[in-house]
Amino acid sequence: MQSRRKLPPLNALRAFEVSGRRLSFRAAADELGVTQGAVAQQVRGLEAHLGVVLFRRLPRGLALTPSGAGYLAEVTRAFDTLAESTQQLQARPDTVTISVTPTVATKLLIPRLAELNAALPGIDLRTLATESLSDFDRDQVDLAVRLTRPPFAPDLEARLLFRQSLVAVASPHLATGLRLPLEAARLRSLPLLHDAHNHWPKFLGVSEKLPGLVFNQTALALDAAMAGQGVALACRAFVAADLAAGRLLQMTDVTKTVAPDFYLVRKRDMHVNSAASAVWDWCATHLSQ
């Protein structure tokens, strides 16, 4: 920090760099769009700041002193680095950060990333998978998919993606020899896989605690179900692709819709981010069920 405070003013360095390249205060003034006197004053101030003579003033133009020539090479390199960094920054695709639950990430978003990249090739999507509610400002999040319910804060805009319609699913290997769909009593006799939401009692209409493996995320319970470890309970939106592909089977015709629902949420902002708006529109179309 101390060394940065000792840096000469940027305008003075710029005046020196252009003057050293053109070897003329007049030519430097024309390039910078200021007066010749202003350029000469900036250079004199820089020399006073450094305590070093950078130019020899000639009747027609300038000549660099040895110290000035060496300093010019370093200052030019620094300006070239700044220009290159700025160009690279401006060439980067727009970055949009979306916060989703781990299950939304693995079951809905990640399988569709190729579609998103094809539809929005200029956008770099950053996915933040977390069960915690993200703060749009603190976490620099543009959009979020959350299990929530209205009313929403006045500074938030929300769009319903899908309701939480629960189905019981298991691997075809676990269902071997079973006649589907199962009755509730028969379903209870199978190993049940639980997640943090604990919807099994409500789904089966019982009040007692039900045995079975417990996972902190629905995605993990579904992975266990696919591995033949038991029957998982999940929102239909998360298992629709696996049901269609035959990787999972619906074990009973019973479904139950529970609150809250899954919403796409963003902060209302007068300065609209066009890239974030494009991802919002894409998610509203492709993640809704």
Side-chain angles (χ1 to χ4, degrees), residues 20-276:
R21 180 159 38 83
R22 305 294 293 270
L23 292 177
S24 167
F25 286 151
R26 181 181 296 278
D30 291 341
E31 182 174 327
L32 294 173
V34 296
T35 65
Q36 180 178 344
V39 174
Q41 183 178 359
Q42 289 281 7
V43 172
R44 282 197 301 271
L46 178 61
E47 290 175 321
H49 181 91
L50 298 173
V52 176
V53 177
L54 301 172
F55 291 109
R56 287 189 295 115
R57 278 71 170 172
L58 304 175
R60 294 186 177 181
L62 302 168
L64 286 159
T65 65
S67 296
Y71 192 48
L72 177 65
E74 297 300 328
V75 171
T76 300
R77 184 179 298 113
F79 275 117
D80 288 343
T81 299
L82 284 172
E84 182 180 350
S85 299
T86 302
Q87 185 177 11
Q88 290 176 353
L89 177 65
Q90 292 174 332
R92 287 177 183 170
D94 290 316
T95 299
V96 176
T97 299
I98 182 169
S99 173
V100 297
T101 65
T103 305
V104 170
T106 57
K107 297 301 181 181
L108 292 182
L109 185 58
I110 292 176
R112 292 174 169 85
L113 284 181
E115 298 176 42
L116 187 149
N117 290 332
L120 306 173
I123 294 177
D124 185 9
L125 186 69
R126 176 177 175 263
T127 302
L128 181 63
T130 175
E131 296 286 359
S132 302
L133 289 178
S134 295
D135 183 281
F136 285 97
D137 295 321
R138 183 194 63 227
D139 301 324
Q140 296 185 324
V141 169
D142 299 294
L143 316 172
V145 176
R146 278 291 174 263
L147 190 60
T148 184
R149 70 186 78 202
F152 299 98
D155 63 334
L156 295 180
E157 178 181 359
R159 180 176 297 185
L160 176 66
L161 289 179
F162 51 88
R163 303 200 181 279
Q164 201 175 180
S165 179
L166 301 177
V167 293
V169 296
S171 164
H173 299 292
L174 187 72
T176 300
L178 298 177
R179 187 173 179 177
L180 303 181
L182 299 178
E183 298 293 332
R186 182 71 179 93
L187 184 63
R188 286 185 60 182
S189 68
L190 298 176
L192 302 182
L193 304 173
H194 304 263
D195 62 17
H197 300 293
N198 191 32
H199 286 309
W200 272 117
K202 185 180 297 185
F203 186 84
L204 294 173
V206 297
S207 57
E208 69 267 24
K209 181 179 179 180
L210 298 170
L213 297 174
V214 179
F215 302 89
N216 69 328
Q217 295 177 7
T218 304
L220 297 178
L222 289 174
D223 287 344
M226 208 168 298
Q229 301 300 310
V231 184
L233 200 58
C235 179
R236 182 181 293 277
F238 297 148
V239 296
D242 292 321
L243 289 173
R247 292 184 292 268
L248 291 173
L249 297 178
Q250 186 170 337
M251 302 298 286
T252 175
D253 286 340
V254 176
T255 63
K256 185 172 288 291
T257 300
V258 297
D261 305 313
F262 283 89
Y263 281 84
L264 183 63
V265 185
R266 66 178 170 183
K267 192 173 182 181
R268 298 185 190 275
D269 197 338
M270 294 180 64
H271 305 288
V272 178
N273 181 325
S274 59

